[in-house]
């Protein structure tokens, strides 16, 4: 069976993707291809050494290194980075890292329209989307805009070998979440569905080998390939309950991004399984279970991912407020949403129970 739909609208961004072990060494070539001469290289403080290595490698094409990227893209950090852009006369951005670093690059591009090259080192997938989430005064807001979409992505499997095992499994489930919710998106199209299915297959196939040998470049490469496809789905179609709950738990309770996705995914997919059984049947097949939520729960347990919100630091007393916040504003979801239904789902996720479906 193909993924044909009788009617659809599909949007694809013009992005240049280079893929392969060692492809990061082509960074100077990519800066010049953009017509740029002075790249500001971004990273988190933890990955500053990697950013400095990039700067040394491109020599005069580096305007400097700004190593203050942090989770949830605080506007105060973006403002500091913009001062650095102006002071160095940077004419392009190179983001080396996970979603936090890519987020800072996007925030700069949104305000300056500078072109971006992203060298991802996690599976979050932000590099493949025109979406920017940023925080100001404790409030996280999200926008979608073409200026935010990075122009060039260099996927280098060698860079992901240093991702710790815990972050590897959580980040992989974060990516799988984009694909799983993409399967039932109202605005899905045959291409987004094909990308979602292939992205999930890549993770199901390669992740066990990555966990056996984190330095296995073929397996790391296949998981990065999965991250690209799943991230592209996120960039193309709308998300529902799962992403909304994770946004709430991250933004209002400061839970860690990738780990929260890991815990919530089986529950959100199990919650929606009865409403869209045909769209989600492929999830049971790929992750080898009797229902989509159970299959994801058991897959997450097998690979050692966190499965309970209580292990991430959420308090049981927070569940009522989390359920209210996640259902405060109306949004489309395949299964009807009620505060009680979401409260029950959060209770299962808090205790790490296996979903019913
Ligand atoms: P992250 O970028 O915050 O990285 C987590 C930590 O791991 C950091 O300390 C980082 O330096 C370190 N790290 C990253 N790669 C490493 C590697 N290969 N080796 C060793 N250490 C490494 O985590 P993330 O999960 O990639 O990104 C989360 C952020 O991205 C959140 O703010 C989230 O909202 C955002 N995000 C945005 C989108 C979008 O489309 N806008 C999509 C996904 C995620």
């Amino acid at each position: 069976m193909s993924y044909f739909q009788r009617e659809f609208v599909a949007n694809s961004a013009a992005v240049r993707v280079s893929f392969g072990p060692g492809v990061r060494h082509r960074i100077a070539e990519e800066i010049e291809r953009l017509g740029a001469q002075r790249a500001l290289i971004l990273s988190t403080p933890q990955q500053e050494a990697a950013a400095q290595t990039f700067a040394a490698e491109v020599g005069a094409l580096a305007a400097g290194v700004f190593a203050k990227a942090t989770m949830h893209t605080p506007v105060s950090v973006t403002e500091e980075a913009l001062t650095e852009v102006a002071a160095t006369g940077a004419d392009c951005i190179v983001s080396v890292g996970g979603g936090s670093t890519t987020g800072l690059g996007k925030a700069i591009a949104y305000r300056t329209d500078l072109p971006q090259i992203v060298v991802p080192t996690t599976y979050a997938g932000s590099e493949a989307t025109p979406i920017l989430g940023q925080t100001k005064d404790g409030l996280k807001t999200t926008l979608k805009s073409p200026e935010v979409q990075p122009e060039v992505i260099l996927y280098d499997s060698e860079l992901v070998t240093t991702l710790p095992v815990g972050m590897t499994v959580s980040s992989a489930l974060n990516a799988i979440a984009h694909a799983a919710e993409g399967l039932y998106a109202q605005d899905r199209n045959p291409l987004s569905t094909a990308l979602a299915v292939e992205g999930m297959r890549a993770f199901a196939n390669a992740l066990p080998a990555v966990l056996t040998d984190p330095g296995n470049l073929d397996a790391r490469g296949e998981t990065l390939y999965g991250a690209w496809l799943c991230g592209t789905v996120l960039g193309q179609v709308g998300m529902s309950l799962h992403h909304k709950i994770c946004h709430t738990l991250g933004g209002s309770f400061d839970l860690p991004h990738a780990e929260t996705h890991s815990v919530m995914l089986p529950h959100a997919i199990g919650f929606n399984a009865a409403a869209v059984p045909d769209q989600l049947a492929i999830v049971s097949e790929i992750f080898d279970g009797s229902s989509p939520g159970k299959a994801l729960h058991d897959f997450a347990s097998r690979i050692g991912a966190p499965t309970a919100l209580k292990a991430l630091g959420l308090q049981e007393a927070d569940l009522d407020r989390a359920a209210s916040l996640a259902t405060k504003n109306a949004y489309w979801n395949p299964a009807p949403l009620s505060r009680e239904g979401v409260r029950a789902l959060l209770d299962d996720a808090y205790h790490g129970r296996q979903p019913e479906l």
Side-chain angles (χ1 to χ4, degrees):
M1 202 178 73
S2 77
Y3 302 120
F4 175 69
Q5 293 169 223
R6 185 190 287 172
E7 291 180 19
F8 61 88
V9 174
N11 289 299
S12 299
V15 182
R16 175 180 161 82
V17 172
S18 281
F19 207 103
V23 77
R24 67 185 180 283
H25 298 301
R26 294 195 209 142
I27 192 86
E29 197 180 306
E30 295 296 340
I31 295 170
E32 284 171 341
R33 187 188 291 272
L34 286 172
Q37 293 169 333
R38 295 183 64 73
L40 185 64
I41 301 171
L42 309 179
S43 74
T44 60
Q46 294 82 354
Q47 289 178 287
E48 180 167 3
Q52 294 292 358
T53 306
F54 271 75
E57 192 165 327
V58 303
L61 288 172
V65 168
F66 183 84
K68 295 185 186 173
T70 184
M71 191 80 91
H72 305 310
T73 324
V75 170
S76 56
V77 175
T78 302
E79 282 165 357
E80 207 183 315
L82 286 169
T83 307
E84 195 71 10
V85 167
T88 58
D91 59 4
C92 88
I93 299 297
V94 173
S95 305
V96 183
S100 296
T101 305
T102 305
L104 175 61
K106 288 173 154 184
I108 296 171
Y110 181 62
R111 291 160 174 84
T112 60
D113 210 14
L114 289 185
Q116 305 167 71
I117 300 174
V118 182
V119 190
T121 65
T122 72
Y123 306 127
S126 176
E127 65 281 355
T129 83
I131 303 165
L132 167 64
Q134 15 183 26
T135 12
K136 191 172 185 184
D137 303 328
L139 196 70
K140 186 164 181 177
T141 52
T142 303
L143 61 86
K144 205 167 178 177
S145 163
E147 295 93 62
V148 161
Q149 172 76 54
E151 284 76 2
V152 179
I153 312 173
L154 303 184
Y155 284 109
D156 187 333
S157 49
E158 290 174 0
L159 290 177
V160 203
T161 57
T162 55
L163 195 62
V165 168
M167 186 64 190
T168 294
V169 294
S170 302
S171 192
L173 282 158
N174 181 192
I176 292 167
H178 311 327
E181 282 227 294
L183 292 174
Y184 51 60
Q186 259 187 320
D187 55 352
R188 69 184 179 280
N189 62 70
L191 185 61
S192 66
T193 302
L195 293 174
V197 171
E198 174 73 352
M200 289 190 291
R201 276 198 211 289
F203 278 111
N205 189 51
L207 207 47
V210 164
L211 298 178
T212 306
D213 175 10
N216 178 335
L217 287 183
D218 285 336
R220 280 289 188 185
E222 192 171 347
T223 48
L224 256 192
Y225 166 64
W228 170 39
L229 302 184
C230 294
T232 304
V233 174
L234 175 67
Q236 289 191 354
V237 303
M239 298 286 125
S240 307
L241 175 67
H242 170 75
H243 280 75
K244 176 70 183 177
I245 289 183
C246 292
H247 186 90
T248 301
L249 293 174
S252 302
F253 300 92
D254 210 25
L255 294 202
H257 179 83
E259 290 84 348
T260 306
H261 274 272
S262 293
V263 173
M264 286 313 308
L265 183 63
H267 297 280
I269 295 300
F271 185 91
N272 283 331
V276 280
D278 293 348
Q279 279 100 312
L280 288 176
I282 191 73
V283 175
S284 314
E285 185 193 311
I286 292 174
F287 296 102
D288 195 20
S290 56
S291 67
K294 277 187 179 151
L296 285 166
H297 178 86
D298 294 350
F299 177 72
S301 303
R302 280 199 299 280
I303 62 174
T307 52
L309 288 177
K310 64 179 169 189
L312 303 187
L314 193 73
Q315 302 302 311
E316 198 162 8
D318 292 330
L319 295 179
D320 281 332
R321 192 161 73 91
S324 300
L325 286 171
T327 49
K328 200 169 104 189
N329 301 318
Y331 54 94
W332 186 83
N333 186 66
L337 292 177
S338 67
R339 190 193 165 281
E340 293 66 37
V342 171
R343 174 68 176 77
L345 177 161
L346 283 167
D347 201 69
D348 286 344
Y350 180 81
H351 292 285
R353 299 183 192 111
Q354 190 191 51
E356 274 178 34
L357 278 179

